[in-house]
Amino acid sequence: MASKSSRGPIDLPGFFADLVRCETRLYNALNDRLRERHGIVTSQFEFLRFLRDHPGARVADLAAEFAIGIGATSKGIDRLEKQAWVTRRTNPSDRRSSLLDLTAGGLQLVEAAEATFTTTLAELTADVLDGPSGPAAAQLFSELRSVLERDQIGLPTG
């Protein structure tokens, strides 16, 4: 059943379409800018940023954070490792898994790319997020994400 607001019922299919199309367009624009300036795409940037902020994370930790499969996550890390931006080391508490760390080059890359990412995202969203409803919109999406994560909604099945 659709939720009610002070303006009437929310068009949930329309909300979903807006949400997905916004995400896709922002992601693609960030991909283009990161590729042009740093030779990486948004997913690589997000992996590098996560590893910078969580040294010694496992592939499973990234997969859980980004709600993607372990296989896809491992392939993404393989590509970062081939570029010498990430290293794997044996996990002393579970030798079947590896702990991941950024190399000096990976850290340098993510720091430079983060400036591009943040500036680009600010440029793309300023007209809306800097307006009076911006903070409420950001809070709404934060709350929605928290509920989905808390209830483990949308995790990969394979």
Side-chain angles (χ1 to χ4, degrees), residues 48-49 51-53 84-86 101-114:
L48 293 169
R49 186 174 59 171
L51 291 174
R52 180 200 59 201
D53 297 343
W85 296 326
V86 171
D101 294 295
L102 292 182
T103 63
L107 180 59
Q108 185 178 23
L109 173 61
V110 75
E111 297 293 334
E114 187 164 48

Side-chain angles (χ1 to χ4, degrees), residues 44 47 59 68-82 88:
Q44 292 173 314
F47 278 15
V59 166
I68 56 178
I70 296 234
T73 306
S74 187
K75 286 178 185 174
I77 292 299
D78 288 345
R79 289 193 274 290
L80 296 176
E81 190 177 26
K82 284 179 185 158
R88 294 179 196 247

Side-chain angles (χ1 to χ4, degrees), residues 46-58 61-62 65-66 89 99-102:
E46 289 195 291
F47 278 15
L48 293 169
R49 186 174 59 171
F50 184 86
L51 291 174
R52 180 200 59 201
D53 297 343
H54 303 89
R58 300 166 303 136
D61 299 325
L62 277 92
E65 171 67 16
F66 297 108
R89 59 185 161 91
L99 302 180
L100 306 169
D101 294 295
L102 292 182

